[in-house]
Amino acid sequence: MECILSEVSKSPPEELEAPQLHSQLEEEQMVRRHLEDSMKKPSIVGVLCIDSQGLNLGCCGTLSDEHAGVIFTLPWQATKLTYDLTDIPVVCLESDNGNIRRKKHNGITVAVQKMVS
């Protein structure tokens, strides 16, 4: 299964100097590697990575760019249910077929969809 890196977050190469371009390519390779490694786990069928503005950085499997906005906003709504407003909760959507877990860390949000075995 091929993982897709978003074109939205990429700057045109002509606008970047060599060190910036090298750094961006390293980040893209790291995101792709994490997506592909996550998809190797047997029960995982989808992975989505989004930035601090809700833009898709990359996705694999059943989760795609169209899911980024919903997955991004869920924790903001969930924080309204907690007493500690600095705490960002893990949000888990469950169904009979599986679940989607979403966690934010250092400005990057990762959602993982697992199917019931």
Side-chain angles (χ1 to χ4, degrees):
M1 179 170 296
E2 183 180 350
C3 295
I4 301 167
L5 294 179
S6 174
E7 296 296 322
V8 174
S9 63
K10 296 180 184 178
S11 298
E14 63 273 3
E15 293 179 15
L16 298 175
E17 295 180 15
Q20 292 172 313
L21 181 59
H22 181 71
S23 176
Q24 182 178 354
L25 292 174
E26 284 179 351
E27 289 176 15
E28 290 172 9
Q29 289 172 351
M30 183 180 68
V31 169
R32 182 182 303 277
R33 204 170 33 252
H34 284 297
L35 291 170
E36 291 171 350
D37 288 347
S38 296
M39 290 298 294
K40 290 178 183 176
K41 296 178 178 133
S43 61
I44 294 179
V45 295
V47 181
L48 173 66
C49 185
I50 53 182
D51 71 7
S52 61
Q53 297 176 346
L55 298 174
N56 179 10
L57 297 175
C59 55
C60 243
T62 57
L63 295 177
S64 67
D65 190 46
E66 67 187 45
H67 301 107
V70 173
I71 288 173
F72 180 73
T73 59
L74 283 174
W76 299 112
Q77 297 300 321
T79 56
K80 295 176 183 176
L81 300 173
T82 66
Y83 293 106
D84 182 2
L85 298 178
T86 62
D87 186 27
I88 298 175
V90 173
V91 175
C92 181
L93 303 173
E94 293 189 19
S95 72
D96 291 340
N97 297 328
N99 64 56
I100 298 174
R101 292 180 186 256
R102 181 250 181 241
K103 176 70 176 172
K104 182 177 180 179
H105 181 70
N106 290 337
I108 301 295
T109 299
V110 177
V112 177
Q113 184 172 20
K114 292 183 177 186
M115 297 305 283
V116 175
S117 316

